[in-house]
Amino acid sequence: MERIVETADGRFDTRLTGTGNVTFILDHGMMSSHHQWGWLRGELLKLGRVFEYSRLGYGKSSRGKTKRLFTRQADELERVLDLLGMSGPFVLIGHSLGAYISLELGRRRPDETVGIVLLDPSHPEVDAELPNWYERTQEEWNRFLYVLSHVRPLAWLIPDNLGARMFTSLPQADRVPMWRNMARKNHWRGTLDEWQTVEANNQHVLQLVSHVTPPILVLSASDWAGGMPEKWLHPQLTKRINAAHERFAESLPDATFHVIPNTNHYTIAGFSKDAAETVVHLIQTSFFD
């Protein structure tokens, strides 16, 4: 069920589907929205309920009123869950930057958290492996789209049928909604707001990890390129990022590390049916069997 949830923090675009005793709480990556989950949502529905939402600043959700620190975003998520009357058991799933929010919620609610899944998560050591130009290019591209969307709305420039072609790896039902969310001008303001807190979030997460007690799966993509074409990046980058993710797992009290074959930064988190099946199999064997 799609629902707009009004809170003191702002307006949240949410969706709750499925039935079962466990609820999967999904937190998307930067520059995305809750429609990214596509194939992974479908596989998770075989195990329980799935709750998705777009963070403040993205898609149909309103802009955040405070600095986009992940601890504040976890505050906002908790208020949404409370308004909806949702309680555990939870499995918390965070992709990229969303991993920080999943970790923080799991730290706060250990008795309600069956497990936490980090899909190609952000981490200071991962950022340290990236070329100096990478994040600057990503942020400036975000800035260009933000300016462009104010001069000429992207939805006006590009019709739905063309915009949806960028997301053909998602299930059919998610392609147009994903495009429409990204075509909103406030979406790119939301990404810029999050770029401004990347360094602060990276530093704060290091103080958090030793206090997260639920079991965790750290899952790393086999072919990492972020939002850039693979050929632009050094061929050894994936190996270094996989190693950084493995060290991240080792720094957590109770974590297991896996590389998911035939995935990149996006297909690991909803854009691939095969990857979704692999991820859900690991979730089932790790937390339920």
Side-chain angles (χ1 to χ4, degrees):
M1 178 181 68
E2 299 269 0
R3 179 175 172 181
I4 299 296
V5 178
E6 298 281 355
T7 76
D9 304 301
R11 181 182 67 252
F12 287 85
D13 185 14
T14 74
R15 173 163 54 185
L16 178 62
T17 47
T19 59
N21 295 325
V22 66
T23 303
F24 297 90
I25 307 292
L26 277 53
D27 223 299
H28 61 78
M30 188 186 287
M31 300 187 295
S32 193
S33 74
H34 76 263
H35 289 284
Q36 78 166 54
W37 297 108
W39 296 110
L40 186 58
R41 177 198 315 116
E43 292 300 312
L44 290 170
L45 285 171
K46 298 174 183 177
L47 301 181
R49 299 195 303 171
V50 177
F51 176 76
E52 309 155 79
Y53 78 110
S54 293
R55 290 194 299 277
L56 293 180
Y58 290 103
K60 294 180 182 178
S61 297
S62 59
R63 186 181 178 186
K65 299 175 182 178
T66 61
K67 191 174 181 180
R68 299 290 79 204
L69 300 171
F70 72 84
T71 49
R72 291 176 180 167
Q73 291 172 312
D75 292 339
E76 294 161 357
L77 174 55
E78 284 199 292
R79 284 189 275 272
V80 171
L81 297 177
D82 289 343
L83 278 170
L84 293 174
M86 295 175 61
S87 58
F90 296 134
V91 174
L92 309 175
I93 302 179
H95 171 231
S96 195
L97 181 68
Y100 288 177
I101 302 167
S102 296
L103 282 171
E104 174 65 7
L105 191 61
R107 182 190 69 81
R108 297 180 185 188
R109 300 191 175 193
D111 294 338
E112 292 183 271
T113 302
V114 175
I116 303 171
V117 184
L118 309 181
L119 298 171
D120 226 32
S122 296
H123 189 268
E125 289 194 32
V126 171
D127 280 4
E129 294 295 348
L130 299 175
N132 290 332
W133 54 265
Y134 173 79
E135 286 193 347
R136 292 199 306 272
T137 303
Q138 290 279 57
E139 186 172 359
E140 289 309 311
W141 175 243
N142 282 194
R143 197 176 307 279
F144 167 74
L145 289 173
Y146 171 68
V147 172
L148 177 63
S149 68
H150 280 70
V151 175
R152 286 286 187 272
L154 298 180
W156 182 83
L157 290 170
I158 305 174
D160 284 350
N161 63 323
L162 293 180
R165 289 183 185 179
M166 292 188 287
F167 305 106
T168 54
S169 56
L170 284 172
Q172 182 75 40
D174 288 296
R175 295 173 191 174
V176 170
M178 184 73 173
W179 159 247
R180 287 179 178 170
N181 274 1
M182 295 189 73
R184 292 173 177 268
K185 61 184 180 182
N186 70 297
H187 180 94
W188 299 103
R189 177 67 265 173
T191 64
L192 289 175
D193 287 345
E194 288 197 337
W195 275 113
Q196 292 171 6
T197 61
V198 165
E199 185 174 350
N201 281 331
N202 277 345
Q203 292 307 309
H204 186 62
V205 79
L206 297 176
Q207 304 167 34
L208 166 70
V209 291
S210 64
H211 303 289
V212 184
T213 55
I216 299 172
L217 284 174
V218 179
L219 306 182
S220 192
S222 62
D223 299 295
W224 199 94
M228 297 290 185
E230 283 86 346
K231 64 183 179 181
W232 289 17
L233 301 174
H234 192 281
Q236 294 300 309
L237 178 63
T238 292
K239 291 182 180 179
R240 297 201 304 271
I241 288 181
N242 288 162
H245 280 149
E246 187 167 17
R247 291 193 298 273
F248 184 16
E250 291 169 353
S251 73
L252 293 159
D254 182 6
T256 306
F257 170 77
H258 298 273
V259 174
I260 305 301
N262 304 313
T263 57
N264 60 33
H265 189 60
Y266 296 100
T267 55
I268 198 173
F271 285 76
S272 163
K273 190 174 189 299
D274 289 345
E277 291 174 349
T278 300
V279 169
V280 172
H281 175 72
L282 283 170
I283 290 171
Q284 186 165 18
T285 56
S286 299
F287 302 145
F288 299 110
D289 286 353

